[in-house]
Amino acid sequence: MNNITPYSSPHYFIYLLILLLPIIIGLWFGKRFKIYDFFATVVILITAFFGGNMKQGISLIFYILFEMVVIFTYRAYRKKYNNFWVFTLFVILAIVPLVFVKLDPLLNNATISLFGFMGISYLTFKSVEIVMESRDGVIKELKPFEFVRFLLFFPTITSGPIDRFKRFQKDVLNVPSRDEYVELLHSGVNKLMKGLLYKFIIGYFFGTLLLPKIEILTLSYRGQTPLGLSWALVAYMYVYSMYLFFDFAGYSLFAVAISNFMGIKTPMNFNAPFKSKNIKDFWNRWHMTLSFWFRDFIYMRLMFTIIKHKWFKSRVTIANLGYVTLFLIMGFWHGETWYYIVYGIFHALAMITNDAWLRLKKRHRKSIPSNKFTHAFAVFLTFNVVCFSFMIFSGILDKLWF
Amino acid sequence: MDDIKAKIVDILKDVTGLDDAGQDADQDLFKDGVLDSMATVEVLVTLQDTFGITVPVSEFDRSQWSTVNKIAQQVQELE
């Protein structure tokens, strides 16, 4: 038996829906069965992490125990004291397992990633959120059981969307009324169907049927033209972008749909990102729970500190510094390869350029036209900038050049 | 309360450089793109200095700070 990646095949849904049936019937009659929820979680975790050699499963258990020690130690400390450096230390501690996993390919040392399992990034976002909100006193009470339930909520365990603790608690402690639940089931079924279309039809078409062929064609120009550039690379850029969106948006729709069936309103991850009118707009529509996490827990906090302490005067400098920091961290988070870092820098530069343009536009409001043609051009330009960044992200240039 | 609102509108105008910022006290400042993250932080810091309140960043729930009326209410509660 091997590990079964959640939502990876249409069959998975048949088993999943059978497993969910008691939960759905319970909610229909206004009940949450805590014990059964726990049982279902265990079943999913076993199929996802303990198939095969159990290595991932053991890592997961170690990881959860480690984060529990970190978080509950910090919360105990925070009751009496509030030192900035102690807080920083605990944030770093919460990230350490992820850092090990991310550094692993770089060091070529398989023993270092004791914590390697699918979805560790997403659990780490949740853990760090809890450390930060514990410092701010926003999470007043936290029982170990609640922490584990939040972290291991199985519809979102491997790839998000990243929920927030207080939001999640509100749903999980509440049983929706019959009307609300009918509404949730309805939206869940819709999202499930849309997800199936996205991931298993459109995503499959682009990712499994087209992409490998175009990749071979693109790489056949290696060494033949300057930098191996070709029209095939341009085609690769668009096909990869379509695949990335439909595959990930499809997956995210599944996660939200299954959450809905369980009476949890997990936030959406995508909002028509290819309709974005500029790059800032794009980050409000693409992988939203991740970009909002970065916005709330890194960007805004950094801005807040810098402005409060008046480290820099110019607001343009501060905002740009924030972008570079934010997108570099995002690049490193994706993985320690040159193309993820370049992808981060590229987006930071795009944001800085975009801000400069918006300032210019504000100053010359009267002389710069704004109509449906300029809007269409803006959407077109943003789409191409984004696809170009995904081409960097895909790593195709690494294969083409090195 | 009207005094608070007037001060908030002044802050919004200062930060955004828009003459009509916050004109409509029920306008959604985030949705309509009046405030981005950077401007939001500037507004929060200025609110702290002006009213002597402390806004914990993670208490900052966008839906509760999205209009002039809502900001005024938050300020009053925190004062």
Side-chain angles (χ1 to χ4, degrees), chain A residues 256-375:
Chain A
V256 176
I258 302 302
S259 307
N260 286 170
F261 292 154
M262 297 172 67
I264 306 286
K265 294 174 208 134
T266 296
M268 287 289 280
N269 240 355
F270 294 91
N271 175 21
F274 295 141
K275 281 189 192 158
S276 311
K277 61 181 191 290
N278 61 43
I279 204 73
K280 217 173 200 168
D281 190 24
F282 171 78
W283 282 110
N284 283 324
R285 292 159 168 274
W286 175 270
H287 203 179
M288 289 143 72
T289 59
L290 178 76
S291 49
F292 295 167
W293 193 97
F294 273 91
R295 179 193 72 195
D296 293 347
F297 295 108
I298 300 179
Y299 188 80
M300 302 251 311
R301 277 160 198 271
L302 183 67
M303 296 292 95
F304 205 77
T305 312
I306 295 179
I307 295 176
K308 213 169 68 182
H309 297 293
K310 304 196 168 73
W311 288 345
F312 296 96
K313 270 224 178 78
S314 148
R315 61 169 298 186
V316 177
T317 314
I318 301 172
N320 291 350
L321 190 76
Y323 291 143
V324 172
T325 314
L326 178 73
F327 283 101
L328 267 182
I329 293 176
M330 197 184 266
F332 280 109
W333 169 71
H334 276 298
E336 297 356 291
T337 58
W338 71 267
Y339 47 88
Y340 290 143
I341 316 294
V342 172
Y343 170 77
I345 295 169
F346 180 86
H347 270 285
L349 294 178
M351 290 291 274
I352 290 170
T353 313
N354 182 51
D355 265 14
W357 163 248
L358 289 179
R359 280 196 304 277
L360 186 81
K361 208 169 114 180
K362 217 184 244 172
R363 277 204 303 276
H364 302 279
R365 195 177 289 275
K366 294 197 181 74
S367 51
I368 296 174
S370 176
N371 52 47
K372 63 175 190 251
F373 294 108
T374 59
H375 179 82

Side-chain angles (χ1 to χ4, degrees), chain A residues 132-133 136 138 140 166 280 295-297 299-301 303-304 307-308 315 318-319 355 362 365, chain B residues 14-18 36-42 44-45 48-49 55-60 62:
Chain A
M132 293 202 176
E133 295 196 333
D136 290 347
V138 177
K140 304 237 155 43
K166 280 204 304 177
K280 217 173 200 168
R295 179 193 72 195
D296 293 347
F297 295 108
Y299 188 80
M300 302 251 311
R301 277 160 198 271
M303 296 292 95
F304 205 77
I307 295 176
K308 213 169 68 182
R315 61 169 298 186
I318 301 172
D355 265 14
K362 217 184 244 172
R365 195 177 289 275
Chain B
D14 271 0
V15 169
T16 61
L18 299 169
D36 59 13
S37 302
M38 175 71 191
T40 308
V41 174
E42 284 186 284
L44 287 182
V45 173
Q48 295 207 351
D49 295 345
V55 188
V57 194
S58 65
E59 284 277 18
F60 176 75
R62 269 167 200 253

Side-chain angles (χ1 to χ4, degrees), chain A residues 133-161:
Chain A
E133 295 196 333
S134 294
R135 178 179 192 230
D136 290 347
V138 177
I139 298 176
K140 304 237 155 43
E141 251 190 84
L142 178 69
K143 297 189 189 94
F145 161 72
E146 291 173 332
F147 171 70
V148 175
R149 178 172 59 188
F150 173 60
L151 235 61
L152 295 183
F153 181 62
F154 66 79
T156 62
I157 191 163
T158 51
S159 310

Side-chain angles (χ1 to χ4, degrees), chain B residues 7-47:
Chain B
K7 276 187 188 162
I8 293 170
V9 172
D10 281 345
I11 293 172
L12 284 175
K13 279 184 193 164
D14 271 0
V15 169
T16 61
L18 299 169
D19 292 336
D20 56 350
Q23 208 77 304
D24 170 3
D26 287 315
Q27 178 195 23
D28 189 318
L29 301 165
F30 298 116
K31 224 180 226 155
D32 293 350
V34 178
L35 292 180
D36 59 13
S37 302
M38 175 71 191
T40 308
V41 174
E42 284 186 284
V43 169
L44 287 182
V45 173
T46 321
L47 286 174

